Amino acid sequence: MNYIIKQFLLATVSCATISVLFNIQKKNIFLCAINGAICWTLYMFLTKNNFSYIFSSLLCSLLCGILGEFFARWQKTPVNCYFIIGVIPLVPGLKIYQSMNYFITDNLKSGATEAVQSLFMAIAIAVGLMIASSVSKIFRNIRAQKELRKLKVFYKNKNK
């Protein structure tokens, strides 16, 4: 089986399992799992094609945020479940483990390098989610202002 397809399927199963563990509503489990699997598959594709871990984390968390906002509007549910489950595969757990292992084995330079990389990956994940959430909020405000203008025109014409 193709490596990317295998990664997609395994990420879907793991995100669905985590969704059940976090007690996500049944109607949202599939979309949460798809969100996490798409983000993880993109992350694996980008890192295989020599993109940095940090840039890959930023793009994938941005995609996770955009998909999460879309799924939340579509299902009329809070966006938090899609954000949390979507970024769990992106969390730099291996890098944190490696940095702690380097520190314990007295390899301070490698430990500091891994710790800084994992910190930057975590910051990139947070920034990607913030950008997606902010863009979504801007679009919702623009849409609300357009509808408010329509209502003002409607009531102005109705009162004449």
Side-chain angles (χ1 to χ4, degrees):
M1 191 183 315
N2 190 0
Y3 178 75
I4 297 291
I5 295 171
K6 191 182 293 186
Q7 288 291 319
F8 182 83
L9 293 175
L10 289 173
T12 304
V13 170
S14 67
C15 288
T17 306
I18 293 169
S19 297
V20 171
L21 181 69
F22 282 2
N23 202 17
I24 303 293
Q25 293 177 351
K26 288 181 183 177
K27 68 177 185 173
N28 298 331
I29 290 175
F30 178 73
L31 292 176
C32 287
I34 292 297
N35 189 14
I38 289 172
C39 294
W40 176 250
T41 306
L42 178 64
Y43 179 80
M44 292 304 293
F45 177 77
L46 290 174
T47 54
K48 283 273 187 199
N49 289 318
N50 298 325
F51 285 89
S52 73
Y53 293 115
I54 298 164
F55 183 70
S56 300
S57 296
L58 177 70
L59 283 181
C60 293
S61 66
L62 182 63
L63 177 65
C64 174
I66 291 169
L67 287 174
E69 291 284 347
F70 174 74
F71 291 154
R73 300 296 163 260
W74 183 34
Q75 293 293 319
K76 295 180 177 64
T77 58
V79 73
N80 293 347
C81 64
Y82 298 107
F83 278 2
I84 292 168
I85 302 301
V87 298
I88 282 180
L90 302 177
V91 172
L94 178 62
K95 290 230 176 261
I96 294 170
Y97 171 78
Q98 287 173 339
S99 69
M100 290 300 120
N101 194 21
Y102 286 135
F103 284 135
I104 290 171
T105 58
D106 223 13
N107 191 350
L108 299 179
K109 185 178 179 183
S110 297
T113 302
E114 291 293 325
V116 168
Q117 275 188 343
S118 63
L119 177 68
F120 283 153
M121 286 174 67
I123 291 171
I125 291 169
V127 168
L129 290 176
M130 280 190 328
I131 290 171
S133 181
S134 298
V135 168
S136 173
K137 189 172 185 177
I138 289 170
F139 282 130
R140 279 183 295 187
N141 286 342
I142 290 171
R143 188 181 195 189
Q145 287 177 356
K146 283 182 182 179
E147 292 191 17
L148 187 62
R149 279 189 224 124
K150 285 180 186 179
L151 284 174
K152 284 181 181 179
V153 169
F154 175 75
Y155 282 117
K156 190 183 276 186
N157 291 337
K158 186 177 178 181
N159 291 333
K160 286 185 179 182

